[in-house]
Amino acid sequence: DAIVQFSADKHVAALIDWNLPDGKATDVAELLRSQNPTLPIVFLSALFTNDHYQEAQLYSPMLCLVKDHRRDFFDNILNHISKK
């Protein structure tokens, strides 16, 4: 779904769940990088293993974060992105 719906000129960043139900996060990141090499990418997961982190680095993410359920979690991400 994310690959079909994405339009590079409409977004300031991409938050990508590592465990997508209908594909791989790296497939989405690859598409995003091909359309907009400078778009900030943030990978989110309930758990990042060292292997996940190493694979994620192939797509130059701004951040790789373990999901947090606090109310301000996404606000903090957006504040971080806007400072770059």
Side-chain angles (χ1 to χ4, degrees):
D1 264 354
I3 291 174
V4 172
Q5 295 178 17
F6 180 75
S7 174
D9 60 340
K10 293 166 109 179
H11 299 86
V12 297
L15 305 179
I16 305 172
D17 192 314
W18 191 260
N19 297 303
L20 296 172
D22 59 348
K24 292 178 60 180
T26 53
D27 292 341
V28 176
E30 185 174 347
L31 173 74
L32 298 179
R33 281 288 168 251
S34 72
Q35 292 186 6
N36 185 341
T38 63
L39 183 73
I41 291 176
V42 176
F43 286 115
L44 303 170
S45 183
L47 171 70
F48 266 106
T49 67
N50 194 38
D51 289 342
H52 292 151
Y53 183 76
Q54 294 302 318
E55 185 176 3
Q57 294 312 301
L58 298 172
Y59 304 96
S60 303
M62 175 181 275
L63 298 165
C64 292
L65 299 174
V66 173
K67 293 177 193 175
D68 186 333
H69 297 287
R70 292 177 299 159
R71 280 185 72 158
D72 62 348
F73 179 64
F74 287 105
D75 289 337
N76 289 337
I77 294 171
L78 295 174
N79 287 334
H80 184 82
I81 291 168
S82 67
K83 292 178 184 177
K84 296 293 178 182

